[in-house]
Amino acid sequence: AQSVTQPDIHITVSEGASLELRCNYSYGATPYLFWYVQSPGQGLQLLLKYFSGDTLVQGIKGFEAEFKRSQSSFNLRKPSVHWSDAAEYFCAVGPPGGGNKLTFGTGTQLKVEL
Amino acid sequence: GAVVSQHPSRVICKSGTSVKIECRSLDFQATTMFWYRQFPKQSLMLMATSNEGSKATYEQGVEKDKFLINHASLTLSTLTVTSAHPEDSSFYICSAGAGVGSYNEQFFGPGTRLTVL
């Protein structure tokens, strides 16, 4: 069965510092990969997604993620964090080739210190 | 981007009563809608998938008679929690799928916080 692991439950960074959120997945084939952000009391917003091709994916709000097949990872990065980036971040996988069902990781809570 | 709304955003009810949550796609037609449940500090768990005009497909372990889903139109799906109990208290999030071909991107609503007393 597919699974998504986000090993860091909480991360605290200083504003302006770089950020990397880890995501590892277990799947029979290379799935579609997603990162979502959830602000308190709100739904999820898609930051970026990877289907195929270039393994470095650019998203909104200055985020990027790199797919590494050998490590089954899809880590999210941002060179310089802003206080408004404080939120919960979820990595998710979907069936390769499309389809509807997403499997989410347990999330990483990001705190930004001013 | 596509907008999905949920109503109500918060609801408090007594044990034994039923609660209906609406999910609407405001500016697109959603062929598929999804209902998730999120416990505090945990991930989203898919409860069911619904297609307009057909019965919902429930995930394993989700009671279909307790969580009634109706997808009456391409812009509206409802989740009714019947005979709610305190353990049903949770954050319920819907998403609406829109796309062409094999990829169906999901757009998420803001969620509904249900508290059962």
Side-chain angles (χ1 to χ4, degrees), chain A residues 34 36 38 41-44 46 49 51 90 97-102 104-105, chain B residues 32 34 36 38 42-44 46 59 91 93 102-106 108-110:
Chain A
F34 306 84
Y36 289 87
Q38 183 182 32
Q42 310 231 340
L44 276 69
L46 180 66
K49 56 184 182 280
F51 292 169
F90 291 96
N100 297 321
K101 188 172 179 178
L102 295 178
F104 286 86
Chain B
T32 307
F34 307 85
Y36 295 85
Q38 185 180 28
Q42 294 190 29
S43 185
L44 281 74
L46 180 65
E59 295 298 302
F91 194 53
I93 301 175
S102 64
Y103 176 55
N104 197 11
E105 182 167 345
Q106 294 185 37
F108 288 81

Side-chain angles (χ1 to χ4, degrees), chain B residues 43-64:
Chain B
S43 185
L44 281 74
M45 299 300 295
L46 180 65
M47 298 174 65
T49 302
S50 72
N51 292 291
E52 185 263 339
S54 61
K55 289 184 178 180
T57 302
Y58 290 81
E59 295 298 302
Q60 191 172 11
V62 178
E63 299 176 60
K64 61 181 181 181

Side-chain angles (χ1 to χ4, degrees), chain A residues 57-90:
Chain A
V57 180
Q58 301 298 318
I60 63 172
K61 303 184 179 186
F63 285 92
E64 66 178 27
E66 185 172 14
F67 168 60
K68 293 186 177 180
R69 184 189 308 274
S70 61
Q71 298 177 19
S72 297
S73 69
F74 189 56
N75 294 348
L76 182 71
R77 300 194 295 247
K78 186 169 185 177
S80 177
V81 170
H82 189 262
W83 64 267
S84 60
D85 293 325
E88 185 104 27
Y89 291 81
F90 291 96

Side-chain angles (χ1 to χ4, degrees), chain A residues 22-36:
Chain A
R22 296 183 290 166
C23 173
N24 292 92
Y25 66 89
S26 174
Y27 213 92
T30 300
Y32 284 5
L33 297 157
F34 306 84
W35 274 99
Y36 289 87

Side-chain angles (χ1 to χ4, degrees), chain B residues 6-17:
Chain B
Q6 278 184 245
H7 178 79
S9 58
R10 293 178 178 270
V11 57
I12 300 173
C13 69
K14 294 182 179 180
S15 184
T17 61

